[in-house]
Amino acid sequence: MHKRLVNQCTIDFSLIPCGPILIKSGREGADPTKPDMEFVETYHGGGRSVYLPGSSLKGAIRAHAERIVRTVGRDNRNSDNPNSLWANDPLNDNYDYLKNKSGYELYKLSSFTDQMFGNTSIASRIRIEDAYPVDSQSVKLEERNGVAIDRVFGSVAVGPFNYQVCTAGEFRTKLHLKNFSLAQLGLIGLVLRDLDEGWFGLGFAKSRGLGSVEVKLNQAVVQYPGCVVENQRIRSLGGGGEWQDNQLLGAGVFLAEAERERYGFPANDMQDTPVRAESMALGFGVQLKWRGKEQVQDLFMRAVRAWCQRVEADSSPYVA
């Protein structure tokens, strides 16, 4: 099923430091005038610039998504109910339950978060671009000093050392989610909400106050590449499905019943929205656009309804 593309959501958002943040470079230079720990840099906009790597953003988003799923679901697999809501520990999971399984079994048996972010057997369906400064002149870098305290003796164990932090600027990026259910989109909305509210941070020394950012939602686009808009309705080419042009559609509605059940996608996975569909470029494909913070939040609110239904449908809540 995942060899084709039935829907895709692209979320355009910016990250604005609420205080110092540091995504450390993996190497130390030989220049003695530079701090011991430098911010990662690359060439962008005609010169060297700090940036937030997509891999770092994805790791933080995945970790918090797993935290949310474990909170309302389970932290281990229920062998009696493969559809139960759970998130594993990727570092301590040997994935024995995925050995010698077919493609749809690999997806269905994987945890809710592995279905989105991937594991050793299935690919990720989430891609996050590097976040670059919108205006390099607005980026402010500072150098700070610190020491590591010995917990036993209370004296200096390591240091003093200095590190580079970013305290101002706007870093813009995009998150792409393909072949998604509305519950999965709702989970992404919750993660971005929690990042904005400071429930978790990015980069180095989060427990010491670094890493807090504001999330600015710029735009979201949901696309159905195999559909067209006709007479204010969305029509699936070849699939035979037809829906109102203000429908937010999950991947399950595009699949035949047998295929949907093999992968575990929900049926009737749709929500009404105030946004109307429009044709994509070249007149092939359909897209719905939510512009600005209020509209994107409205999109997430409708997707979170599906997430709540998914949580309530789990008939095997975890009991410690």
Side-chain angles (χ1 to χ4, degrees), residues 269-305:
D269 194 17
M270 62 180 75
Q271 294 281 335
D272 291 338
T273 81
V275 175
R276 298 284 176 180
E278 59 187 53
S279 293
M280 294 170 61
L282 307 181
F284 191 86
V286 173
Q287 63 184 9
L288 294 86
K289 288 186 178 180
W290 290 259
R291 297 178 175 86
K293 177 181 178 180
E294 292 186 0
Q295 286 196 1
V296 178
Q297 283 186 329
D298 182 77
L299 165 66
F300 285 145
M301 183 186 68
R302 294 170 193 277
V304 168
R305 291 176 187 165

PDB file of all heavy atoms in Angstrom, residues 269-305:
ATOM      1  N   ASP A 269     -12.642   7.631   7.884  1.00  0.00           N
ATOM      2  CA  ASP A 269     -11.679   8.508   8.547  1.00  0.00           C
ATOM      3  C   ASP A 269     -11.729   9.879   7.872  1.00  0.00           C
ATOM      4  O   ASP A 269     -10.901  10.197   7.013  1.00  0.00           O
ATOM      5  CB  ASP A 269     -10.281   7.891   8.444  1.00  0.00           C
ATOM      6  CG  ASP A 269      -9.286   8.558   9.378  1.00  0.00           C
ATOM      7  OD1 ASP A 269      -9.733   9.249  10.311  1.00  0.00           O
ATOM      8  OD2 ASP A 269      -8.075   8.380   9.176  1.00  0.00           O
ATOM      9  N   MET A 270     -12.701  10.693   8.248  1.00  0.00           N
ATOM     10  CA  MET A 270     -12.873  11.999   7.610  1.00  0.00           C
ATOM     11  C   MET A 270     -13.491  12.986   8.578  1.00  0.00           C
ATOM     12  O   MET A 270     -14.155  12.610   9.536  1.00  0.00           O
ATOM     13  CB  MET A 270     -13.732  11.872   6.349  1.00  0.00           C
ATOM     14  CG  MET A 270     -15.153  11.365   6.598  1.00  0.00           C
ATOM     15  SD  MET A 270     -16.112  11.243   5.068  1.00  0.00           S
ATOM     16  CE  MET A 270     -15.375   9.762   4.355  1.00  0.00           C
ATOM     17  N   GLN A 271     -13.209  14.276   8.326  1.00  0.00           N
ATOM     18  CA  GLN A 271     -13.755  15.367   9.122  1.00  0.00           C
ATOM     19  C   GLN A 271     -14.140  16.513   8.187  1.00  0.00           C
ATOM     20  O   GLN A 271     -13.447  16.779   7.204  1.00  0.00           O
ATOM     21  CB  GLN A 271     -12.710  15.879  10.129  1.00  0.00           C
ATOM     22  CG  GLN A 271     -12.313  14.885  11.208  1.00  0.00           C
ATOM     23  CD  GLN A 271     -13.331  14.798  12.318  1.00  0.00           C
ATOM     24  OE1 GLN A 271     -14.085  15.737  12.568  1.00  0.00           O
ATOM     25  NE2 GLN A 271     -13.370  13.645  12.998  1.00  0.00           N
ATOM     26  N   ASP A 272     -15.237  17.202   8.508  1.00  0.00           N
ATOM     27  CA  ASP A 272     -15.606  18.409   7.758  1.00  0.00           C
ATOM     28  C   ASP A 272     -14.654  19.541   8.137  1.00  0.00           C
ATOM     29  O   ASP A 272     -14.195  19.628   9.278  1.00  0.00           O
ATOM     30  CB  ASP A 272     -17.033  18.823   8.096  1.00  0.00           C
ATOM     31  CG  ASP A 272     -18.051  17.831   7.559  1.00  0.00           C
ATOM     32  OD1 ASP A 272     -17.707  17.094   6.620  1.00  0.00           O
ATOM     33  OD2 ASP A 272     -19.172  17.806   8.085  1.00  0.00           O
ATOM     34  N   THR A 273     -14.378  20.423   7.187  1.00  0.00           N
ATOM     35  CA  THR A 273     -13.556  21.598   7.466  1.00  0.00           C
ATOM     36  C   THR A 273     -14.177  22.809   6.771  1.00  0.00           C
ATOM     37  O   THR A 273     -14.946  22.657   5.810  1.00  0.00           O
ATOM     38  CB  THR A 273     -12.107  21.436   6.946  1.00  0.00           C
ATOM     39  OG1 THR A 273     -12.062  21.726   5.558  1.00  0.00           O
ATOM     40  CG2 THR A 273     -11.572  20.033   7.193  1.00  0.00           C
ATOM     41  N   PRO A 274     -13.844  24.012   7.217  1.00  0.00           N
ATOM     42  CA  PRO A 274     -14.334  25.209   6.511  1.00  0.00           C
ATOM     43  C   PRO A 274     -13.548  25.505   5.242  1.00  0.00           C
ATOM     44  O   PRO A 274     -13.890  26.429   4.496  1.00  0.00           O
ATOM     45  CB  PRO A 274     -14.151  26.320   7.551  1.00  0.00           C
ATOM     46  CG  PRO A 274     -13.040  25.839   8.418  1.00  0.00           C
ATOM     47  CD  PRO A 274     -13.146  24.351   8.467  1.00  0.00           C
ATOM     48  N   VAL A 275     -12.488  24.752   4.979  1.00  0.00           N
ATOM     49  CA  VAL A 275     -11.625  24.978   3.815  1.00  0.00           C
ATOM     50  C   VAL A 275     -12.139  24.150   2.633  1.00  0.00           C
ATOM     51  O   VAL A 275     -12.512  22.991   2.789  1.00  0.00           O
ATOM     52  CB  VAL A 275     -10.162  24.589   4.153  1.00  0.00           C
ATOM     53  CG1 VAL A 275      -9.273  24.698   2.934  1.00  0.00           C
ATOM     54  CG2 VAL A 275      -9.642  25.464   5.280  1.00  0.00           C
ATOM     55  N   ARG A 276     -12.155  24.773   1.473  1.00  0.00           N
ATOM     56  CA  ARG A 276     -12.620  24.102   0.256  1.00  0.00           C
ATOM     57  C   ARG A 276     -11.434  23.595  -0.562  1.00  0.00           C
ATOM     58  O   ARG A 276     -10.375  24.223  -0.595  1.00  0.00           O
ATOM     59  CB  ARG A 276     -13.448  25.062  -0.600  1.00  0.00           C
ATOM     60  CG  ARG A 276     -14.707  25.558   0.101  1.00  0.00           C
ATOM     61  CD  ARG A 276     -15.776  24.490   0.104  1.00  0.00           C
ATOM     62  NE  ARG A 276     -16.961  24.919   0.863  1.00  0.00           N
ATOM     63  CZ  ARG A 276     -18.045  24.181   1.036  1.00  0.00           C
ATOM     64  NH1 ARG A 276     -18.108  22.964   0.502  1.00  0.00           N
ATOM     65  NH2 ARG A 276     -19.051  24.630   1.739  1.00  0.00           N
ATOM     66  N   ALA A 277     -11.646  22.473  -1.237  1.00  0.00           N
ATOM     67  CA  ALA A 277     -10.587  21.893  -2.055  1.00  0.00           C
ATOM     68  C   ALA A 277     -10.392  22.692  -3.339  1.00  0.00           C
ATOM     69  O   ALA A 277     -11.316  23.328  -3.852  1.00  0.00           O
ATOM     70  CB  ALA A 277     -10.928  20.440  -2.386  1.00  0.00           C
ATOM     71  N   GLU A 278      -9.197  22.661  -3.845  1.00  0.00           N
ATOM     72  CA  GLU A 278      -8.856  23.293  -5.121  1.00  0.00           C
ATOM     73  C   GLU A 278      -7.948  22.362  -5.890  1.00  0.00           C
ATOM     74  O   GLU A 278      -7.331  21.453  -5.317  1.00  0.00           O
ATOM     75  CB  GLU A 278      -8.162  24.635  -4.883  1.00  0.00           C
ATOM     76  CG  GLU A 278      -6.878  24.510  -4.073  1.00  0.00           C
ATOM     77  CD  GLU A 278      -6.271  25.852  -3.693  1.00  0.00           C
ATOM     78  OE1 GLU A 278      -6.993  26.684  -3.118  1.00  0.00           O
ATOM     79  OE2 GLU A 278      -5.066  26.038  -3.981  1.00  0.00           O
ATOM     80  N   SER A 279      -7.876  22.583  -7.189  1.00  0.00           N
ATOM     81  CA  SER A 279      -7.020  21.737  -8.017  1.00  0.00           C
ATOM     82  C   SER A 279      -5.555  22.069  -7.794  1.00  0.00           C
ATOM     83  O   SER A 279      -5.193  23.229  -7.579  1.00  0.00           O
ATOM     84  CB  SER A 279      -7.357  21.920  -9.499  1.00  0.00           C
ATOM     85  OG  SER A 279      -8.641  21.435  -9.774  1.00  0.00           O
ATOM     86  N   MET A 280      -4.708  21.057  -7.864  1.00  0.00           N
ATOM     87  CA  MET A 280      -3.269  21.283  -7.822  1.00  0.00           C
ATOM     88  C   MET A 280      -2.790  21.745  -9.196  1.00  0.00           C
ATOM     89  O   MET A 280      -3.563  21.786 -10.159  1.00  0.00           O
ATOM     90  CB  MET A 280      -2.555  19.986  -7.398  1.00  0.00           C
ATOM     91  CG  MET A 280      -2.862  19.555  -5.974  1.00  0.00           C
ATOM     92  SD  MET A 280      -2.267  17.892  -5.551  1.00  0.00           S
ATOM     93  CE  MET A 280      -0.496  18.092  -5.801  1.00  0.00           C
ATOM     94  N   ALA A 281      -1.540  22.103  -9.278  1.00  0.00           N
ATOM     95  CA  ALA A 281      -0.963  22.570 -10.545  1.00  0.00           C
ATOM     96  C   ALA A 281      -1.173  21.528 -11.645  1.00  0.00           C
ATOM     97  O   ALA A 281      -1.199  20.317 -11.383  1.00  0.00           O
ATOM     98  CB  ALA A 281       0.525  22.846 -10.363  1.00  0.00           C
ATOM     99  N   LEU A 282      -1.368  21.985 -12.855  1.00  0.00           N
ATOM    100  CA  LEU A 282      -1.599  21.165 -14.046  1.00  0.00           C
ATOM    101  C   LEU A 282      -2.988  20.522 -14.055  1.00  0.00           C
ATOM    102  O   LEU A 282      -3.306  19.694 -14.907  1.00  0.00           O
ATOM    103  CB  LEU A 282      -0.533  20.070 -14.205  1.00  0.00           C
ATOM    104  CG  LEU A 282       0.926  20.534 -14.183  1.00  0.00           C
ATOM    105  CD1 LEU A 282       1.867  19.350 -14.365  1.00  0.00           C
ATOM    106  CD2 LEU A 282       1.174  21.590 -15.241  1.00  0.00           C
ATOM    107  N   GLY A 283      -3.851  20.890 -13.081  1.00  0.00           N
ATOM    108  CA  GLY A 283      -5.216  20.393 -13.066  1.00  0.00           C
ATOM    109  C   GLY A 283      -5.357  18.947 -12.634  1.00  0.00           C
ATOM    110  O   GLY A 283      -6.413  18.343 -12.844  1.00  0.00           O
ATOM    111  N   PHE A 284      -4.332  18.397 -12.039  1.00  0.00           N
ATOM    112  CA  PHE A 284      -4.381  16.998 -11.584  1.00  0.00           C
ATOM    113  C   PHE A 284      -3.998  16.949 -10.116  1.00  0.00           C
ATOM    114  O   PHE A 284      -2.943  17.428  -9.726  1.00  0.00           O
ATOM    115  CB  PHE A 284      -3.421  16.140 -12.410  1.00  0.00           C
ATOM    116  CG  PHE A 284      -3.599  14.656 -12.187  1.00  0.00           C
ATOM    117  CD1 PHE A 284      -4.531  13.938 -12.914  1.00  0.00           C
ATOM    118  CD2 PHE A 284      -2.847  13.988 -11.233  1.00  0.00           C
ATOM    119  CE1 PHE A 284      -4.710  12.579 -12.715  1.00  0.00           C
ATOM    120  CE2 PHE A 284      -3.017  12.633 -11.019  1.00  0.00           C
ATOM    121  CZ  PHE A 284      -3.954  11.922 -11.771  1.00  0.00           C
ATOM    122  N   GLY A 285      -4.858  16.338  -9.324  1.00  0.00           N
ATOM    123  CA  GLY A 285      -4.628  16.318  -7.883  1.00  0.00           C
ATOM    124  C   GLY A 285      -5.463  17.394  -7.194  1.00  0.00           C
ATOM    125  O   GLY A 285      -5.910  18.362  -7.821  1.00  0.00           O
ATOM    126  N   VAL A 286      -5.692  17.195  -5.903  1.00  0.00           N
ATOM    127  CA  VAL A 286      -6.542  18.083  -5.104  1.00  0.00           C
ATOM    128  C   VAL A 286      -5.785  18.503  -3.864  1.00  0.00           C
ATOM    129  O   VAL A 286      -5.037  17.699  -3.285  1.00  0.00           O
ATOM    130  CB  VAL A 286      -7.846  17.349  -4.709  1.00  0.00           C
ATOM    131  CG1 VAL A 286      -8.677  18.190  -3.743  1.00  0.00           C
ATOM    132  CG2 VAL A 286      -8.669  17.010  -5.947  1.00  0.00           C
ATOM    133  N   GLN A 287      -5.976  19.752  -3.450  1.00  0.00           N
ATOM    134  CA  GLN A 287      -5.327  20.200  -2.222  1.00  0.00           C
ATOM    135  C   GLN A 287      -6.244  21.141  -1.446  1.00  0.00           C
ATOM    136  O   GLN A 287      -7.089  21.828  -2.016  1.00  0.00           O
ATOM    137  CB  GLN A 287      -4.005  20.900  -2.532  1.00  0.00           C
ATOM    138  CG  GLN A 287      -4.133  22.170  -3.345  1.00  0.00           C
ATOM    139  CD  GLN A 287      -2.778  22.767  -3.696  1.00  0.00           C
ATOM    140  OE1 GLN A 287      -1.740  22.167  -3.479  1.00  0.00           O
ATOM    141  NE2 GLN A 287      -2.790  23.968  -4.233  1.00  0.00           N
ATOM    142  N   LEU A 288      -6.081  21.131  -0.142  1.00  0.00           N
ATOM    143  CA  LEU A 288      -6.764  22.050   0.761  1.00  0.00           C
ATOM    144  C   LEU A 288      -5.682  22.794   1.531  1.00  0.00           C
ATOM    145  O   LEU A 288      -4.722  22.183   2.011  1.00  0.00           O
ATOM    146  CB  LEU A 288      -7.687  21.311   1.735  1.00  0.00           C
ATOM    147  CG  LEU A 288      -8.908  20.587   1.156  1.00  0.00           C
ATOM    148  CD1 LEU A 288      -8.553  19.177   0.696  1.00  0.00           C
ATOM    149  CD2 LEU A 288     -10.031  20.512   2.202  1.00  0.00           C
ATOM    150  N   LYS A 289      -5.849  24.126   1.666  1.00  0.00           N
ATOM    151  CA  LYS A 289      -4.828  24.935   2.329  1.00  0.00           C
ATOM    152  C   LYS A 289      -5.413  25.644   3.536  1.00  0.00           C
ATOM    153  O   LYS A 289      -6.487  26.240   3.465  1.00  0.00           O
ATOM    154  CB  LYS A 289      -4.255  25.988   1.360  1.00  0.00           C
ATOM    155  CG  LYS A 289      -3.359  25.415   0.283  1.00  0.00           C
ATOM    156  CD  LYS A 289      -2.730  26.540  -0.537  1.00  0.00           C
ATOM    157  CE  LYS A 289      -1.780  25.965  -1.589  1.00  0.00           C
ATOM    158  NZ  LYS A 289      -1.141  27.042  -2.410  1.00  0.00           N
ATOM    159  N   TRP A 290      -4.665  25.558   4.655  1.00  0.00           N
ATOM    160  CA  TRP A 290      -4.999  26.294   5.871  1.00  0.00           C
ATOM    161  C   TRP A 290      -3.893  27.321   6.065  1.00  0.00           C
ATOM    162  O   TRP A 290      -2.717  26.956   6.164  1.00  0.00           O
ATOM    163  CB  TRP A 290      -5.062  25.364   7.066  1.00  0.00           C
ATOM    164  CG  TRP A 290      -6.231  24.426   7.055  1.00  0.00           C
ATOM    165  CD1 TRP A 290      -7.391  24.562   7.758  1.00  0.00           C
ATOM    166  CD2 TRP A 290      -6.354  23.191   6.321  1.00  0.00           C
ATOM    167  NE1 TRP A 290      -8.221  23.503   7.501  1.00  0.00           N
ATOM    168  CE2 TRP A 290      -7.626  22.650   6.630  1.00  0.00           C
ATOM    169  CE3 TRP A 290      -5.533  22.506   5.423  1.00  0.00           C
ATOM    170  CZ2 TRP A 290      -8.083  21.463   6.086  1.00  0.00           C
ATOM    171  CZ3 TRP A 290      -5.986  21.319   4.874  1.00  0.00           C
ATOM    172  CH2 TRP A 290      -7.248  20.806   5.210  1.00  0.00           C
ATOM    173  N   ARG A 291      -4.259  28.604   6.081  1.00  0.00           N
ATOM    174  CA  ARG A 291      -3.258  29.674   6.153  1.00  0.00           C
ATOM    175  C   ARG A 291      -3.315  30.385   7.504  1.00  0.00           C
ATOM    176  O   ARG A 291      -4.395  30.762   7.960  1.00  0.00           O
ATOM    177  CB  ARG A 291      -3.489  30.682   5.029  1.00  0.00           C
ATOM    178  CG  ARG A 291      -3.317  30.098   3.625  1.00  0.00           C
ATOM    179  CD  ARG A 291      -3.616  31.141   2.568  1.00  0.00           C
ATOM    180  NE  ARG A 291      -3.347  30.658   1.224  1.00  0.00           N
ATOM    181  CZ  ARG A 291      -4.224  29.968   0.488  1.00  0.00           C
ATOM    182  NH1 ARG A 291      -5.430  29.682   0.978  1.00  0.00           N
ATOM    183  NH2 ARG A 291      -3.906  29.576  -0.732  1.00  0.00           N
ATOM    184  N   GLY A 292      -2.149  30.578   8.091  1.00  0.00           N
ATOM    185  CA  GLY A 292      -2.068  31.314   9.348  1.00  0.00           C
ATOM    186  C   GLY A 292      -2.332  30.433  10.563  1.00  0.00           C
ATOM    187  O   GLY A 292      -2.811  29.301  10.476  1.00  0.00           O
ATOM    188  N   LYS A 293      -2.005  30.997  11.729  1.00  0.00           N
ATOM    189  CA  LYS A 293      -2.065  30.232  12.981  1.00  0.00           C
ATOM    190  C   LYS A 293      -3.465  29.707  13.278  1.00  0.00           C
ATOM    191  O   LYS A 293      -3.647  28.529  13.601  1.00  0.00           O
ATOM    192  CB  LYS A 293      -1.581  31.130  14.122  1.00  0.00           C
ATOM    193  CG  LYS A 293      -1.665  30.477  15.493  1.00  0.00           C
ATOM    194  CD  LYS A 293      -1.190  31.432  16.575  1.00  0.00           C
ATOM    195  CE  LYS A 293      -1.318  30.801  17.953  1.00  0.00           C
ATOM    196  NZ  LYS A 293      -0.850  31.721  19.015  1.00  0.00           N
ATOM    197  N   GLU A 294      -4.481  30.570  13.154  1.00  0.00           N
ATOM    198  CA  GLU A 294      -5.833  30.157  13.548  1.00  0.00           C
ATOM    199  C   GLU A 294      -6.356  29.037  12.666  1.00  0.00           C
ATOM    200  O   GLU A 294      -6.983  28.083  13.144  1.00  0.00           O
ATOM    201  CB  GLU A 294      -6.775  31.359  13.509  1.00  0.00           C
ATOM    202  CG  GLU A 294      -6.470  32.401  14.579  1.00  0.00           C
ATOM    203  CD  GLU A 294      -7.488  33.504  14.607  1.00  0.00           C
ATOM    204  OE1 GLU A 294      -8.429  33.456  13.781  1.00  0.00           O
ATOM    205  OE2 GLU A 294      -7.350  34.414  15.438  1.00  0.00           O
ATOM    206  N   GLN A 295      -6.133  29.129  11.354  1.00  0.00           N
ATOM    207  CA  GLN A 295      -6.634  28.093  10.454  1.00  0.00           C
ATOM    208  C   GLN A 295      -5.898  26.767  10.669  1.00  0.00           C
ATOM    209  O   GLN A 295      -6.512  25.697  10.645  1.00  0.00           O
ATOM    210  CB  GLN A 295      -6.504  28.549   8.989  1.00  0.00           C
ATOM    211  CG  GLN A 295      -7.516  29.597   8.587  1.00  0.00           C
ATOM    212  CD  GLN A 295      -7.627  29.737   7.076  1.00  0.00           C
ATOM    213  OE1 GLN A 295      -6.970  29.043   6.304  1.00  0.00           O
ATOM    214  NE2 GLN A 295      -8.458  30.673   6.643  1.00  0.00           N
ATOM    215  N   VAL A 296      -4.567  26.825  10.860  1.00  0.00           N
ATOM    216  CA  VAL A 296      -3.813  25.578  11.063  1.00  0.00           C
ATOM    217  C   VAL A 296      -4.217  24.936  12.387  1.00  0.00           C
ATOM    218  O   VAL A 296      -4.336  23.709  12.488  1.00  0.00           O
ATOM    219  CB  VAL A 296      -2.297  25.847  11.008  1.00  0.00           C
ATOM    220  CG1 VAL A 296      -1.526  24.555  11.264  1.00  0.00           C
ATOM    221  CG2 VAL A 296      -1.901  26.428   9.654  1.00  0.00           C
ATOM    222  N   GLN A 297      -4.442  25.764  13.403  1.00  0.00           N
ATOM    223  CA  GLN A 297      -4.926  25.202  14.672  1.00  0.00           C
ATOM    224  C   GLN A 297      -6.296  24.552  14.505  1.00  0.00           C
ATOM    225  O   GLN A 297      -6.592  23.534  15.137  1.00  0.00           O
ATOM    226  CB  GLN A 297      -4.982  26.293  15.737  1.00  0.00           C
ATOM    227  CG  GLN A 297      -3.614  26.655  16.307  1.00  0.00           C
ATOM    228  CD  GLN A 297      -3.707  27.622  17.461  1.00  0.00           C
ATOM    229  OE1 GLN A 297      -4.619  28.444  17.520  1.00  0.00           O
ATOM    230  NE2 GLN A 297      -2.763  27.550  18.374  1.00  0.00           N
ATOM    231  N   ASP A 298      -7.128  25.144  13.642  1.00  0.00           N
ATOM    232  CA  ASP A 298      -8.441  24.540  13.367  1.00  0.00           C
ATOM    233  C   ASP A 298      -8.280  23.170  12.705  1.00  0.00           C
ATOM    234  O   ASP A 298      -9.004  22.223  13.034  1.00  0.00           O
ATOM    235  CB  ASP A 298      -9.251  25.471  12.461  1.00  0.00           C
ATOM    236  CG  ASP A 298     -10.633  24.913  12.177  1.00  0.00           C
ATOM    237  OD1 ASP A 298     -11.499  24.999  13.056  1.00  0.00           O
ATOM    238  OD2 ASP A 298     -10.841  24.376  11.060  1.00  0.00           O
ATOM    239  N   LEU A 299      -7.309  23.070  11.794  1.00  0.00           N
ATOM    240  CA  LEU A 299      -7.025  21.770  11.170  1.00  0.00           C
ATOM    241  C   LEU A 299      -6.618  20.749  12.233  1.00  0.00           C
ATOM    242  O   LEU A 299      -7.135  19.610  12.262  1.00  0.00           O
ATOM    243  CB  LEU A 299      -5.906  21.928  10.140  1.00  0.00           C
ATOM    244  CG  LEU A 299      -5.247  20.627   9.652  1.00  0.00           C
ATOM    245  CD1 LEU A 299      -6.242  19.785   8.867  1.00  0.00           C
ATOM    246  CD2 LEU A 299      -4.007  20.928   8.816  1.00  0.00           C
ATOM    247  N   PHE A 300      -5.692  21.136  13.107  1.00  0.00           N
ATOM    248  CA  PHE A 300      -5.232  20.212  14.147  1.00  0.00           C
ATOM    249  C   PHE A 300      -6.381  19.832  15.085  1.00  0.00           C
ATOM    250  O   PHE A 300      -6.468  18.684  15.527  1.00  0.00           O
ATOM    251  CB  PHE A 300      -4.091  20.839  14.948  1.00  0.00           C
ATOM    252  CG  PHE A 300      -2.776  20.859  14.210  1.00  0.00           C
ATOM    253  CD1 PHE A 300      -1.884  21.907  14.361  1.00  0.00           C
ATOM    254  CD2 PHE A 300      -2.424  19.817  13.365  1.00  0.00           C
ATOM    255  CE1 PHE A 300      -0.671  21.917  13.698  1.00  0.00           C
ATOM    256  CE2 PHE A 300      -1.216  19.824  12.689  1.00  0.00           C
ATOM    257  CZ  PHE A 300      -0.337  20.877  12.859  1.00  0.00           C
ATOM    258  N   MET A 301      -7.247  20.798  15.409  1.00  0.00           N
ATOM    259  CA  MET A 301      -8.353  20.504  16.318  1.00  0.00           C
ATOM    260  C   MET A 301      -9.247  19.413  15.732  1.00  0.00           C
ATOM    261  O   MET A 301      -9.682  18.502  16.443  1.00  0.00           O
ATOM    262  CB  MET A 301      -9.172  21.773  16.564  1.00  0.00           C
ATOM    263  CG  MET A 301     -10.307  21.603  17.555  1.00  0.00           C
ATOM    264  SD  MET A 301     -11.327  23.076  17.667  1.00  0.00           S
ATOM    265  CE  MET A 301     -12.099  23.052  16.034  1.00  0.00           C
ATOM    266  N   ARG A 302      -9.509  19.475  14.434  1.00  0.00           N
ATOM    267  CA  ARG A 302     -10.358  18.466  13.799  1.00  0.00           C
ATOM    268  C   ARG A 302      -9.639  17.114  13.744  1.00  0.00           C
ATOM    269  O   ARG A 302     -10.259  16.057  13.896  1.00  0.00           O
ATOM    270  CB  ARG A 302     -10.755  18.941  12.391  1.00  0.00           C
ATOM    271  CG  ARG A 302     -11.637  20.178  12.441  1.00  0.00           C
ATOM    272  CD  ARG A 302     -11.853  20.831  11.097  1.00  0.00           C
ATOM    273  NE  ARG A 302     -12.436  22.154  11.282  1.00  0.00           N
ATOM    274  CZ  ARG A 302     -13.730  22.387  11.466  1.00  0.00           C
ATOM    275  NH1 ARG A 302     -14.571  21.384  11.431  1.00  0.00           N
ATOM    276  NH2 ARG A 302     -14.172  23.616  11.644  1.00  0.00           N
ATOM    277  N   ALA A 303      -8.319  17.137  13.510  1.00  0.00           N
ATOM    278  CA  ALA A 303      -7.567  15.879  13.504  1.00  0.00           C
ATOM    279  C   ALA A 303      -7.481  15.277  14.901  1.00  0.00           C
ATOM    280  O   ALA A 303      -7.505  14.047  15.059  1.00  0.00           O
ATOM    281  CB  ALA A 303      -6.165  16.119  12.935  1.00  0.00           C
ATOM    282  N   VAL A 304      -7.396  16.129  15.922  1.00  0.00           N
ATOM    283  CA  VAL A 304      -7.326  15.627  17.298  1.00  0.00           C
ATOM    284  C   VAL A 304      -8.626  14.925  17.682  1.00  0.00           C
ATOM    285  O   VAL A 304      -8.622  14.016  18.513  1.00  0.00           O
ATOM    286  CB  VAL A 304      -6.974  16.778  18.264  1.00  0.00           C
ATOM    287  CG1 VAL A 304      -7.190  16.365  19.723  1.00  0.00           C
ATOM    288  CG2 VAL A 304      -5.530  17.217  18.062  1.00  0.00           C
ATOM    289  N   ARG A 305      -9.747  15.321  17.071  1.00  0.00           N
ATOM    290  CA  ARG A 305     -10.998  14.587  17.321  1.00  0.00           C
ATOM    291  C   ARG A 305     -10.818  13.114  16.926  1.00  0.00           C
ATOM    292  O   ARG A 305     -11.251  12.208  17.651  1.00  0.00           O
ATOM    293  CB  ARG A 305     -12.133  15.191  16.500  1.00  0.00           C
ATOM    294  CG  ARG A 305     -12.577  16.584  16.953  1.00  0.00           C
ATOM    295  CD  ARG A 305     -13.628  17.111  16.009  1.00  0.00           C
ATOM    296  NE  ARG A 305     -13.975  18.492  16.292  1.00  0.00           N
ATOM    297  CZ  ARG A 305     -14.651  19.268  15.455  1.00  0.00           C
ATOM    298  NH1 ARG A 305     -15.050  18.774  14.284  1.00  0.00           N
ATOM    299  NH2 ARG A 305     -14.930  20.512  15.784  1.00  0.00           N
TER     300      ARG A 305
END
